[in-house]
Amino acid sequence: MSYRVCFVCTGNICRSPMAEAVFRARVTEAGLAGLVEVDSAGTGDWHVGEGADPRTVSVLEENSYAVAHTARMFEPSWFSRLDLVIALDAGHVRALRRLAPTDEDAQKVRLLRAYAPADGDLDVADPYYGGRDGFAECLRMVEEASVGLLAVVRADVEGRVA
């Protein structure tokens, strides 16, 4: 059975698809691609069916990440099949925990930057209304936190196999 991780932001066109692409690459590099499934969603339905923001795609491609994405909205029924639900900011954490059908499901919700070295604000700022620099900064934050998240996921996966 696969270990499943879903990244969640507001509209599922900027931050969460970026986190999905970066973390999928890290999982593949770690040799865990057959054991870990990675996807993303949004807390709202504003962009359902759309591709990732062109600025997200551009920043990812310039940094050698593959991206094929269609936005979707997170559904409470998904909790039962997910191991971790990774929020990109504190507002997403609150929204997801309200959606969680059980306390156990609510405990699956974590903040991405909690896996990065502490430096104050744990939110990945929304780059949507800003310039391209915000997307590059978003990528930096996602890459930094992905290292710690991968260590946790690897330990969980190895614990299942042992």
Side-chain angles (χ1 to χ4, degrees), residues 2-134:
S2 293
Y3 190 94
R4 294 180 176 102
V5 180
C6 183
F7 293 92
V8 181
C9 70
T10 305
N12 193 217
I13 61 169
C14 297
R15 293 173 284 178
S16 59
M18 188 175 289
E20 175 186 355
V22 169
F23 196 66
R24 182 175 289 119
R26 295 297 172 268
V27 163
T28 299
E29 291 164 2
L32 299 172
L35 301 171
V36 179
E37 293 180 28
V38 181
D39 61 16
S40 66
T43 58
D45 64 355
W46 307 279
H47 300 286
V48 168
E50 296 177 19
D53 185 290
R55 297 166 293 180
T56 296
V57 173
S58 173
V59 167
L60 286 169
E61 287 178 346
E62 286 173 11
N63 287 277
S64 302
Y65 292 105
V67 60
H69 178 74
T70 302
R72 61 196 188 136
M73 187 172 135
F74 189 88
E75 299 290 336
S77 63
W78 297 355
F79 274 106
S80 64
R81 67 175 176 82
L82 294 169
D83 296 285
L84 284 175
V85 180
I86 305 296
L88 278 288
D89 71 30
H92 304 133
V93 169
R94 288 188 298 276
L96 289 162
R97 287 188 175 154
R98 280 193 304 269
L99 288 175
T102 68
D103 288 340
E104 181 179 301
D105 290 328
Q107 294 307 309
K108 295 177 182 180
V109 179
R110 308 287 169 74
L111 195 55
L112 176 63
R113 299 251 317 135
Y115 296 98
D119 69 348
D121 188 4
L122 295 181
D123 287 351
V124 175
D126 187 351
Y128 185 77
Y129 294 105
R132 196 167 183 301
D133 288 348

